[in-house]
Amino acid sequence: MYDTILVPTDGSPHAERAAAHAQYLATAFEATVHVVTVVDVQAAAGPFGAGGVDTEFVDRLEAEGKEAITAIEATFDESAIETAVVRGEPDDAILDYATEHDVDMIAMGTHGRTGLGRYISGSVTEAVVRHADVPVLTVRKTEASTVEDYDDIMIPTDGSDAAGVAFDHGLAIAERTGARVHAVNVVNISDLSTGADYTMPTELFETFRERGERATEAVAAAARERGLDAVTEVREGFPARDLLDYAESEAVDLIAMGTAGRTGMSRFLLGSTAERVIRHADAPVLAVNARDQS
């Protein structure tokens, strides 16, 4: 499933942690790794570069890019590796490189910041997640994201096609690593109430719970057909918060979930849920874009 894994790096600890997970998966799938750094000459020059920049300035930027690559090359001593320094706006350059080299997965670090205070690598990662045609593994540098064996993989599902695109990816990784699969559904109580004084009919609540049970059992059944251990969980609450709570309480090593890949007001709830999980999960998140199926 994964023959080529792309690891963009800016030399940050977050990128280094993503590289370690990329190496783990590259070993599991016998994949080739491409380590790339993007030199954004225009952004580096700022307003003072309006009249152009000299060769020495560009050479210095590219030398810094090569240093960022060198800093993580040793991570991939067990895998075939290719490296490159490319120019352009980071998210566009990463996506273009992935397309040109037929990449099967992108592994990126993210600072997990929100709002105007977030670091550029966080916003670049979010842009890549929204627009990539291949799964994007996002990794924050947390204690829980330290690379060990993947023993537990969580696959959130609401029964939709958008959620379903992540099944094969999560199950394929579980099959290669021997991980237990956690199929989790959260009945979104904010969707089932219209105000503080509204009490949801028991019949309606049971309908949504039954849908959740069918959705999670479908994932678990597919896992068991592959010889994997699988458990299911249906909760009532708020999707992002409860998925994060479950992942922490069960010491999940990887979350594999679909995202609608939309921006602005038109994006699906699954898209906004995935975005929150990516920003705040301690464990790595494999985001699989489902926009073409929406």
Side-chain angles (χ1 to χ4, degrees):
M1 176 168 278
Y2 306 119
D3 295 321
T4 307
I5 299 175
L6 172 61
V7 183
T9 179
D10 57 4
S12 70
H14 303 268
E16 292 176 4
R17 184 61 59 85
H21 283 274
Q23 165 60 31
Y24 177 79
L25 291 170
T27 299
F29 287 89
E30 299 181 348
T32 298
V33 176
H34 289 237
V35 180
V36 172
T37 191
V38 180
V39 173
D40 190 343
V41 176
Q42 184 174 352
F48 301 105
V53 295
D54 58 28
T55 302
E56 183 179 352
F57 179 79
V58 176
D59 288 345
R60 185 168 67 252
L61 292 178
E62 292 190 344
E64 292 172 355
K66 291 176 182 177
E67 290 176 2
I69 291 173
T70 300
I72 66 170
E73 274 188 290
T75 304
F76 302 102
D77 58 356
E78 299 178 8
S79 300
I81 179 173
E82 298 183 22
T83 65
V85 177
V86 298
R87 298 184 192 178
E89 294 186 8
D91 51 336
D92 289 337
I94 291 166
L95 292 167
D96 288 345
Y97 188 97
T99 299
E100 292 168 5
H101 292 81
D102 199 22
V103 165
D104 300 305
M105 177 195 291
I106 304 171
M108 300 183 67
T110 177
H111 293 278
R113 301 296 182 89
T114 59
L116 293 176
R118 67 187 173 198
Y119 290 177
I120 186 63
S121 78
S123 60
V124 169
T125 300
E126 289 181 6
V128 171
V129 168
R130 289 187 182 129
H131 299 290
D133 293 324
V134 297
V136 181
L137 181 72
T138 65
V139 185
R140 295 172 60 216
K141 190 177 184 299
T142 66
E143 184 177 346
S145 71
T146 301
V147 182
E148 297 179 356
D149 287 336
Y150 287 0
D151 295 321
D152 294 271
I153 295 176
M154 182 173 83
I155 303 179
T157 178
D158 58 5
S160 68
D161 290 341
V165 298
F167 292 0
D168 285 343
H169 293 277
L171 294 178
I173 295 173
E175 197 168 20
R176 290 295 181 110
T177 62
R180 172 187 299 153
V181 173
H182 297 249
V184 182
N185 171 272
V186 179
V187 178
N188 190 355
I189 61 174
S190 65
D191 277 356
L192 302 179
S193 61
T194 57
D197 297 330
Y198 176 82
T199 301
M200 180 179 55
T202 301
E203 296 82 1
L204 181 60
F205 174 80
E206 288 302 324
T207 296
F208 279 93
R209 171 168 276 279
E210 288 172 3
R211 289 180 183 175
E213 290 173 349
R214 288 196 297 271
T216 55
E217 187 51 43
V219 176
R224 292 171 186 137
E225 286 178 1
R226 299 185 183 215
L228 300 169
D229 186 18
V231 296
T232 64
E233 176 82 1
V234 178
R235 295 185 172 188
E236 310 91 50
F238 300 94
R241 184 197 67 187
D242 285 272
L243 291 174
L244 291 167
D245 286 348
Y246 184 92
E248 181 179 3
S249 65
E250 297 297 323
V252 164
D253 301 297
L254 176 72
I255 302 170
M257 64 189 303
T259 173
R262 299 297 184 86
T263 58
M265 296 300 293
S266 64
R267 67 186 174 200
F268 288 81
L269 173 64
L270 184 64
S272 60
T273 297
E275 186 172 305
R276 293 188 182 99
V277 171
I278 288 168
R279 287 178 178 174
H280 300 291
D282 288 333
V285 180
L286 184 69
V288 185
N289 203 317
R291 67 179 182 276
D292 292 335
Q293 300 189 27
S294 61

